[in-house]
């Protein structure tokens, strides 16, 4: 990996941070201590409206490391903040001091009591925890809309709830035990009696203070009543004072007060949940009402367990998703002022489900509705409904005026006041100039979110926002005695208003809690407890325009899980954030040296290590393809020399291909003579001497490919056109591959055995789809090559009459999206699935295989066909859930091998014992996968062929 830290980065730190840096470097490896300005800035953004650059970012890997880091910070009176996925919305995962990441390396789990309990480390994504529990028909209680992206550490630290868990199944209600690291570096495992005794004895002050607060609340009926009232609805404002009412034992109190404490009292290094049953039967309905108030009135009469969820969607929020694929037409025709409630009911048997559907219709039918209520049990249909609900916040952010900041707030009203509260909130938004803002949320629990957009570039805009927030707080907390934060956590944007909601007496107890656990205020200062009444107006992030592709990004972080470089350099939202900062500095002209550094380092961090696979688009609610943005940037920086070089290669493509094959032949010969160990040693040394400019050889480097000859045609059989990609023509099998035949030979044999005549385009060696050139931003050359190939394919296929098979999925994807619509172009997987396998006699092999679905296969929607194809051939198929893009990215696996290695970090842990076969549908991806796994990955075509001989 490129060295990113420079000596001046250390001397630029304040003295106490320099001292801290040297102290922790004695134990933490250099690649996990980040002090270069670009990455520090990148880690200073999350899903909130704030941007705060840390002095040092440390990627911790264990409890012992966190304990050490916290102790060293305490010695120097340096503050630390803990962070997991960074999908939080209130700024609680940001700091200007030391940021400790608890993500990679924090993904262990174990399940007990037949799924009734699950123990999770903080770096596990919520949806992943549910996938572990799926075989037991159970799940964790919390179900935030961000569950596919948020991590357990943040979900527990914020007491995130969600759409169905209400107040009964959140982290507070379902936590059984915790493993914690405190401000003094001490560790407590509440499931271990010895740990509890030892820690309690050493921390008598905390135990005594928890007991004292418990007794004071018990002796104060008015305060006890206030706490009970506040937690009848969702409430994450301040600390969980209900801990002192619900429990008597100080350790039980401690466990529950830590939930929702947002890293201000301790790091949650492990949590054990009581799981909940995943109902077998579900049904959902979108019910439309003529007004917002009427929808809230109807929800008032719905309760659990009759319904599991009731989600409000106002007219403005529905407009934000009108253009999504598959959206019901009725949404586009709703009158202004209308609203919808998404209702879900669940049951363990179908008879109960039907009864609940009927009763729900009866209850809601008493109110004015626009259309008859229609429940659906079709997962595809109700899945779309819930996708709509989960995507509302990012979608609204995506339609905002470029340069403005999207802000989501999260309040709750007592159920009896819900309709009046929501209408008062709507009026407040309109009165302050936020008529385009939306209101939606979990109204079954009295909880609504509202989203506005704000221009913070002017003093007028800042003043408008400040006055609005102050008035909203007064409305919710004083007029309706509701919650200023229902489920998103207090953060720094509601910290100044905690006392307003709770009153002096309760707030004084919260300050005592903070002081007991963190007397020096080293853990996440200004979050929950603050003396800065304007902290919610400080460090607001810049949203300067960069490029139309990424300008709509709200930095929610939903892209990160798909990105092959996020463990190595930057995730997509971080690339956007850094580019926005570069844009800001260019506009203001400030700090030219800092700007120069950002531009220089971004070349590697943002450009060279971007795989441009576009998978980020598949989980982005706004379908932003950061890979496409990177290609545009490469094109913008294209030099005449590079363009000329690309044009020469394209003009002499056949000769270039021959040269590549010659080079591979030489490398293979050397490999055969010297062996893998010596070749690897020499290759690494040579690459090092050249400053990493020479591509890195690995033992799975392929032999030279071959040009297939036109097979004999029988003439009485249906024809198909086979276009062997330039990669297949240049690269054959590797020395260690089980099947030493060239892929084109296998493809032709499969097609012939299935009863097809195979037609290969004339002079096929001359043609390329242009994909490698497109990836590098050389669009002119890429399009010229694609046009030439399009012409020959039209001729060979009789203007699209014959189906066309391409054996390289990235090439197929490009061809499908750039060529004449008459051409019916199929990837290996789809062609084998739709045209071949049913015409063969397949004998399933008793074998466990690894399956890698390439980025292009995912983008083409081939996952189900890929799995079906493999399952018809072997007894067990493993698709690693933590491996997305392999990061080989054309030739980057050779030129920047650390990208491929980082992307495949979790591959080997998913390989079952005894498994030694892998399959995919891209030759270059297979090289990287083989190198990481230590056994061959080959095209899925080889497997189909083996099973059908």
């Amino acid at each position: 990996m490129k060295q990113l830290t420079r000596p001046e980065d250390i001397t630029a730190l304040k003295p106490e941070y320099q001292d801290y840096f040297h102290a922790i470097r004695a134990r933490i490896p250099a690649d996990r201590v980040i002090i270069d300005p670009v990455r520090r800035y990148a880690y200073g953004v999350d899903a909130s409206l704030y941007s705060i650059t840390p002095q040092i970012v440390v990627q911790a890997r264990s409890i012992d490391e966190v304990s050490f880091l916290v102790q060293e910070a305490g010695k120097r009176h340096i503050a630390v903040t803990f962070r997991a996925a960074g999908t939080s919305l209130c700024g609680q995962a940001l700091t200007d001091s030391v940021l400790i990441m608890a993500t990679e390396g924090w993904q262990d789990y174990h399940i007990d009591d037949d799924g009734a309990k699950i123990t999770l480390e903080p770096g596990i994504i919520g949806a992943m925890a549910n996938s572990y529990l799926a075989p037991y028909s159970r799940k964790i209680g919390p179900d935030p809309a961000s569950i596919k992206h948020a991590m357990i550490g943040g979900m527990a630290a914020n007491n995130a709830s969600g759409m169905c868990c209400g107040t009964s199944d959140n982290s507070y209600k379902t936590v059984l035990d915790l493993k914690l690291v405190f401000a003094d570096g001490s560790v407590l495992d509440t499931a271990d009696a010895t740990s509890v005794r030892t820690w309690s004895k050493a921390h008598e002050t905390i135990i005594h203070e928890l007991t004292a607060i418990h007794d004071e609340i018990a002796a104060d009926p008015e305060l006890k009543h206030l706490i009970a009232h506040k937690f009848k609805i969702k409430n994450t404002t301040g600390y969980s004072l209900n801990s002192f009412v619900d429990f008597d034992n100080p350790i039980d109190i401690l466990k529950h007060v830590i939930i929702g404490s947002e890293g201000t009292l301790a790091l949650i290094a492990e949590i054990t949940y009581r799981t909940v049953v995943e109902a077998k039967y579900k049904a959902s309905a979108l019910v439309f009402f003529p007004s917002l108030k009427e929808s809230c009135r109807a929800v008032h009469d719905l309760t659990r367990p009759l319904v599991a969820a009731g989600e409000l969607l106002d007219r403005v929020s529905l407009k934000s998703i009108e253009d999504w694929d598959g959206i019901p037409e009725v949404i586009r025709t709703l009158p202004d002022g209308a609203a919808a409630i998404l209702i879900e009911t669940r049951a363990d048997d179908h008879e109960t489900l039907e009864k609940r559907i009927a009763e729900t219709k009866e209850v809601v039918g008493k109110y004015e509705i626009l259309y008859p209520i229609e429940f659906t049990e079709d997962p595809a249909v109700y899945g779309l409904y819930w996708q709509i609900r989960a995507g509302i916040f990012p979608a609204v952010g995506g339609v905002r005026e470029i340069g403005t900041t999207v802000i989501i707030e999260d309040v709750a009203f007592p159920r009896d006041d819900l309709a009046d509260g929501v209408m008062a909130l709507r009026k407040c938004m309109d009165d302050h100039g936020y008529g385009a803002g939306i209101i939606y949320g979990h109204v079954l629990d009295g909880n609504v979110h509202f989203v506005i957009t704000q221009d913070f570039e002017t003093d007028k805009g800042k003043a408008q926002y400040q006055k609005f927030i102050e008035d909203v707080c007064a409305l919710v907390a004083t007029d309706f005695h509701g919650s200023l934060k229902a489920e998103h956590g207090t953060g720094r944007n509601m910290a100044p208003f905690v006392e307003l909601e709770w009153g002096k007496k309760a707030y004084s107890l919260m300050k005592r809690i903070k002081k007991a656990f963190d007397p020096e205020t080293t853990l996440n200062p200004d979050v929950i407890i603050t003396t800065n009444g304007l902290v919610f107006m400080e460090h607001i992030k810049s949203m300067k325009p960069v490029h139309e592709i990424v300008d709509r990004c709200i930095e929610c972080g939903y892209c990160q899980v798909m990105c092959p470089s996020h463990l190595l350099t930057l995730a997509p939202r971080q690339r956007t954030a850094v580019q926005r900062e570069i844009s800001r500095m260019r506009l203001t002209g400030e700090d030219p040296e800092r700007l120069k550094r950002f531009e220089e380092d971004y070349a590697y961090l943002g450009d060279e290590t971007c795989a441009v696979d576009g998978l980020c688009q598949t989980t982005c609610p706004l379908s932003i393809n950061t890979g496409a943005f990177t290609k545009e940037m490469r094109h913008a920086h294209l030099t005449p020399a590079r363009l000329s070089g690309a044009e020469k290669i394209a003009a002499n493509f056949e000769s270039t291909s021959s040269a590549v094959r010659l080079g591979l032949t030489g490398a293979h010969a050397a490999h055969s003579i010297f062996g893998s160990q010596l070749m690897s040693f020499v290759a690494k040394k040579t690459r090092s001497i050249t400053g990493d400019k020479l591509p890195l050889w690995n033992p799975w480097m392929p032999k030279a490919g071959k040009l297939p000859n036109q097979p004999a045609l029988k003439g009485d059989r249906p024809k198909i056109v086979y276009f062997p990609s330039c990669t297949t023509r240049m690269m054959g099998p590797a020395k260690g591959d089980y099947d030493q035949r060239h892929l084109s030979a296998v493809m032709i044999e499969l097609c012939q055995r299935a009863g097809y005549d195979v037609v290969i385009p004339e002079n096929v060696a001359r043609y390329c789809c242009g994909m490698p050139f497109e990836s590098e931003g050389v669009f002119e050359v890429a399009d010229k090559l694609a046009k030439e190939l399009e012409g020959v394919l039209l001729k060979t296929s009789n203007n699209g009459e014959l189906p066309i098979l391409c054996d390289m999925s990235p090439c197929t994807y490009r061809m499908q999206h750039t060529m004449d619509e008459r051409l019916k172009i199929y990837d290996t997987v789809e062609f084998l699935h739709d045209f071949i396998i049913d015409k063969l006699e397949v004998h399933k092999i008793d074998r466990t295989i690894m399956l890698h679905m390439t980025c292009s296969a995912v983008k083409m929607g081939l996952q189900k066909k890929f799995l079906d194809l493999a399952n018809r051939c072997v007894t067990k198929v493993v698709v690693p859930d933590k491996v997305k893009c392999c990061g080989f990215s054309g030739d980057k696996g050779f030129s920047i091998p650390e990208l491929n290695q980082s992307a495949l970090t979790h591959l080997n842990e998913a390989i079952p014992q005894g498994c030694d076969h892998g399959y995919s549908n891209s030759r270059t991806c297979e090289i990287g996968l083989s190198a990481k796994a230590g056994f061959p990955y080959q095209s899925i075509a080889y497997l189909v062929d083996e099973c059908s001989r």
Side-chain angles (χ1 to χ4, degrees):
M1 178 177 172
K2 183 178 179 180
Q3 178 58 253
L4 296 166
T5 300
R6 304 179 186 179
E8 59 264 33
D9 296 338
I10 301 172
T11 57
L13 297 172
K14 294 177 183 178
E16 63 270 31
Y17 289 100
Q18 289 187 43
D19 188 38
Y20 182 74
F21 172 80
H22 291 300
I24 66 174
R25 274 290 293 109
R27 183 162 174 181
I28 310 297
D31 64 338
R32 294 200 274 115
V33 181
I34 297 169
I35 60 170
D36 60 280
V38 178
R39 285 188 295 168
R40 287 195 296 112
Y41 183 85
Y43 278 102
V45 299
D46 64 1
S48 73
L49 68 158
Y50 304 106
S51 174
I52 307 175
T53 303
Q55 291 288 306
I56 300 175
V57 180
V58 188
Q59 297 170 336
R61 290 287 189 269
S62 68
I63 289 176
D64 287 344
E65 285 188 357
V66 172
S67 177
F68 165 72
L69 292 167
V70 171
Q71 289 181 62
E72 291 299 317
K75 293 175 184 177
R76 296 159 180 82
H77 304 287
I78 290 174
V80 300
T81 293
F82 307 118
R83 176 165 167 174
T87 56
S88 49
L89 297 162
C90 309
Q92 56 266 62
L94 302 175
T95 181
D96 60 0
S97 187
V98 175
L99 184 67
I100 299 177
M101 303 294 297
T103 52
E104 188 60 23
W106 297 83
Q107 296 170 344
D108 283 347
Y109 74 97
H110 60 86
I111 297 171
D112 298 299
D113 298 345
D114 200 28
K117 295 196 306 184
I118 187 169
T119 300
L120 302 159
E121 287 192 332
I124 295 174
I125 292 172
M128 195 67 70
N130 283 340
S131 73
Y132 301 148
L133 289 165
Y136 303 91
S137 297
R138 301 186 76 87
K139 61 180 181 177
I140 60 172
D143 61 343
S146 59
I147 195 167
K148 293 181 180 179
H149 316 281
M151 292 178 177
I152 292 297
M155 289 168 60
N158 292 296
N159 196 24
S161 46
M163 293 177 272
C164 298
C165 79
T167 57
S168 60
D169 291 328
N170 57 21
S171 289
Y172 178 91
K173 288 294 179 68
T174 58
V175 62
L176 294 174
D177 281 297
L178 297 170
K179 191 174 287 186
L180 304 164
V181 183
F182 295 92
D184 62 355
S186 63
V187 178
L188 169 64
D189 181 355
T190 65
D192 184 329
T194 302
S195 176
V196 170
R197 282 195 304 271
T198 303
W199 187 89
S200 298
K201 186 175 181 180
H203 296 82
E204 290 181 350
T205 302
I206 295 178
I207 297 296
H208 288 160
E209 186 69 325
L210 293 176
T211 303
I213 293 173
H214 169 273
D215 293 345
E216 288 179 35
I217 293 173
D220 188 334
E222 183 179 350
L223 182 56
K224 190 174 181 180
H225 174 76
L226 171 66
I227 293 169
H229 168 75
K230 297 295 290 182
F231 287 101
K232 284 182 180 177
I233 56 175
K234 287 185 178 181
N235 192 324
T236 59
T237 310
Y239 292 120
S240 302
L241 290 183
N242 47 340
S243 307
F244 298 92
V245 175
D246 297 339
F247 303 97
D248 299 319
N249 182 285
I251 295 298
D252 288 333
I253 294 171
L254 181 150
K255 282 191 295 189
H256 290 82
V257 84
I258 290 292
I259 298 296
S261 63
E262 302 173 37
T264 63
L265 305 181
L267 168 74
I268 299 175
E270 186 179 276
I271 182 168
T272 300
Y273 280 119
R274 168 184 61 80
T275 63
V276 299
V277 174
E278 176 71 287
K280 187 176 181 180
Y281 297 96
K282 301 177 183 179
S284 294
L286 260 177
V287 186
F288 299 98
F289 298 85
S291 69
L292 192 59
K293 187 168 186 177
E294 189 71 359
S295 67
C296 292
R297 290 179 63 233
V299 171
H300 180 273
D301 292 345
L302 294 175
T303 57
R304 293 183 179 89
L306 176 60
V307 295
E311 295 292 306
L312 171 68
L313 302 166
D314 76 353
R315 184 68 187 99
V316 183
S317 66
L318 290 169
K319 281 184 178 179
S320 72
I321 48 84
E322 280 184 356
D323 295 330
W324 284 17
D325 291 339
I327 291 297
E329 181 62 31
V330 64
I331 290 178
R332 299 183 178 92
T333 62
L334 290 172
D336 290 342
I341 300 291
L342 173 55
I343 300 171
E344 179 159 297
T345 185
R346 301 173 173 179
D348 292 327
D349 60 85
H350 199 264
E351 183 180 357
T352 301
L353 182 74
E354 290 179 332
K355 289 179 180 178
R356 287 178 175 171
I357 290 173
E359 188 176 343
T360 302
K361 285 183 175 182
E362 183 179 347
V363 171
V364 177
K366 297 175 182 177
Y367 295 89
E368 185 179 357
I369 55 177
L370 294 176
Y371 305 100
I373 303 170
E374 295 183 5
F375 274 89
T376 177
E377 297 179 51
D378 183 346
V381 178
Y382 69 63
L384 175 63
Y385 292 167
W386 287 100
Q387 184 182 344
I388 290 170
R389 165 59 187 87
I392 287 294
F393 165 53
V396 172
V399 297
R400 74 191 189 284
E401 184 178 341
I402 299 302
T404 60
T405 300
V406 60
I407 301 154
I408 181 171
E409 284 298 346
D410 163 48
V411 301
F413 297 103
R415 280 180 58 86
D416 289 346
D417 297 324
L418 176 63
D420 290 338
V422 169
M423 297 313 296
L425 175 60
R426 178 75 267 173
K427 184 177 186 304
C428 185
M429 292 169 67
D430 294 343
D431 290 347
H432 284 80
Y434 299 106
I438 72 166
I439 296 176
Y440 71 109
H442 321 305
V443 283
L444 188 66
D445 302 300
N447 173 203
V448 294
H449 308 318
F450 60 95
V451 181
I452 61 171
T453 59
Q454 180 66 57
D455 181 358
F456 285 105
E457 294 297 314
T458 65
D459 291 338
K460 181 180 178 182
K462 294 174 183 175
Q464 176 192 15
Y465 175 71
Q466 180 178 339
K467 183 69 169 81
F468 171 63
I469 291 298
E470 290 170 348
D471 285 356
V472 166
C473 289
L475 171 89
V476 175
T478 304
D479 297 349
F480 286 95
H481 305 290
S483 308
L484 294 176
K485 279 296 179 185
E487 60 176 2
H488 291 168
T490 308
R492 59 185 65 247
N493 62 349
M494 279 298 143
F497 305 101
V498 175
E499 185 173 358
L500 173 68
E501 176 176 333
W502 278 98
K504 291 185 180 299
K505 187 182 294 185
Y507 188 62
S508 69
L509 297 181
M510 293 184 186
K511 289 193 290 185
R512 284 169 58 186
I513 293 169
K514 173 66 172 174
K515 187 173 182 180
F517 283 90
D518 183 20
E520 301 299 322
T521 318
T522 58
L523 301 184
N524 218 2
D526 278 334
V527 170
I528 296 184
I529 303 295
T530 186
T531 57
N532 182 357
L534 289 176
V535 70
F536 73 106
M537 292 298 300
E538 298 173 355
H539 301 292
I540 294 173
K541 67 173 64 168
S542 171
M543 301 294 281
K544 293 295 183 186
V546 173
H547 189 281
E548 61 182 8
I549 293 177
V550 296
D551 282 343
R552 295 175 301 133
C553 173
I554 60 172
E555 300 172 13
C556 65
Y558 286 13
C559 52
Q560 180 169 300
V561 67
M562 305 302 289
C563 179
S565 66
H566 81 274
L567 295 178
L568 178 68
T569 51
L570 301 178
R573 69 158 165 190
Q574 292 177 318
R575 287 183 166 87
T576 300
V578 170
Q579 280 298 315
R580 282 172 171 159
E581 180 64 359
I582 289 173
S583 178
R584 187 192 68 79
M585 287 190 287
R586 285 173 179 165
L587 285 170
T588 62
E590 67 179 60
D591 205 342
E593 285 302 312
R594 182 170 181 263
L595 172 60
K596 182 183 177 184
R597 177 69 182 277
F598 267 57
E599 291 174 332
E600 288 176 350
D601 283 5
Y602 188 85
Y604 176 78
L605 293 169
D607 180 0
E608 294 173 28
T609 55
C610 179
V612 298
D613 55 44
L615 277 189
C616 48
Q617 182 179 17
T618 64
T619 53
C620 173
L622 305 176
S623 297
I624 295 172
N625 185 339
T626 310
F629 166 64
T630 299
K631 292 176 189 177
E632 290 288 344
M633 288 194 66
R634 290 173 182 173
H635 183 259
H637 293 93
L638 191 63
T639 63
R642 284 190 63 198
L643 177 59
S644 176
E647 289 173 338
K648 288 178 181 177
I649 291 173
N652 300 279
F653 196 79
E654 186 172 357
S655 299
T656 301
S657 299
S658 296
V660 172
R661 285 195 293 272
L662 183 62
L664 290 173
T665 298
H668 177 67
H671 186 194
S672 299
I673 294 170
F674 298 115
S676 297
Q677 188 171 356
L678 181 58
M679 276 287 288
S680 294
F681 175 80
V682 172
K684 289 176 182 177
K685 280 291 183 184
T686 307
R687 177 173 164 81
S688 177
I689 291 169
T690 63
D692 290 348
K693 292 180 180 178
L694 192 71
L696 181 64
W697 179 92
N698 72 58
W700 296 93
M701 187 78 80
K703 305 175 189 177
K706 285 185 179 179
L707 291 174
N709 296 318
Q710 172 61 54
L713 304 180
K714 292 190 176 181
D716 58 348
R717 303 195 300 184
K719 292 184 175 65
I720 66 103
V721 176
Y722 172 38
F723 173 66
S725 68
C726 58
T727 303
T728 300
R729 302 193 309 261
M730 288 187 280
M731 297 182 179
K735 180 182 178 183
D737 284 347
Y738 293 131
D739 196 323
Q740 288 293 307
R741 294 175 298 164
H742 286 265
L743 177 58
S744 56
V746 176
M747 284 291 193
I748 291 169
E749 183 179 335
L750 277 170
C751 292
Q752 290 178 330
R753 277 200 282 120
Y756 294 100
D757 271 350
V758 179
V759 181
I760 295 175
E762 293 181 5
N763 301 313
V764 70
R766 294 169 43 189
Y767 297 105
C768 170
C769 70
M771 187 268 296
F773 298 91
E774 181 203 12
S775 296
E776 292 304 315
V778 193
F779 299 149
E780 301 86 350
V781 173
D783 291 344
K784 182 176 183 293
L785 287 168
K787 200 68 180 175
E788 291 173 354
L789 177 59
E790 177 188 75
V792 76
L793 290 178
L794 281 169
K795 178 182 178 182
T796 311
S797 68
N798 297 331
N799 291 321
E801 179 183 332
L802 304 179
I804 299 166
L805 162 64
C806 177
D807 55 23
M808 183 84 170
S809 66
C811 301
T812 309
Y813 182 79
R814 170 167 168 77
M815 291 161 66
Q816 288 178 348
H817 286 78
T818 60
M819 293 186 179
D820 194 307
E821 291 183 356
R822 289 175 293 173
L823 295 174
K824 304 176 187 67
I825 304 170
Y826 296 88
D827 171 75
T828 301
V829 169
E830 189 167 25
F831 192 86
L832 292 176
H833 184 278
D834 293 359
F835 290 84
I836 300 294
I837 198 163
D838 287 336
K839 294 179 172 61
L840 303 174
E841 186 176 346
V842 176
H843 307 279
K844 183 175 285 194
I845 300 172
D846 185 12
R847 179 187 298 165
T848 297
I849 68 164
M850 300 296 294
L851 195 66
H852 178 74
M853 299 186 186
T854 57
C855 312
S856 40
V858 172
K859 290 187 290 184
M860 289 186 282
L862 298 180
Q863 298 98 312
K864 289 183 179 179
K865 290 183 178 181
F866 218 146
L867 269 174
D868 181 59
L869 204 59
N871 280 318
R872 291 175 69 173
C873 294
V874 296
T875 52
K876 185 176 181 180
V877 179
V878 177
V879 181
D881 48 29
K882 295 180 186 176
V883 177
K884 309 301 179 184
C885 171
C886 72
F888 208 89
S889 186
D891 65 347
K892 285 192 183 296
F894 302 124
S895 60
I896 308 178
E898 64 268 29
L899 175 60
N900 175 235
Q901 292 158 10
S902 180
L904 297 179
T905 295
H906 294 285
L907 175 64
N908 288 42
E909 68 191 46
I911 300 174
Q913 187 173 3
C915 176
D916 60 0
H917 284 72
Y919 297 94
S920 189
N921 61 335
S922 168
R923 185 67 192 97
T924 50
C925 297
E926 290 153 15
I927 296 168
L929 289 158
S930 299
K932 180 65 175 177
F935 56 73
Y937 272 74
Q938 291 188 274
S939 170
I940 189 76
Y942 287 94
L943 178 63
V944 175
D945 177 73
E946 181 183 1
C947 295
S948 61
R949 287 176 193 159

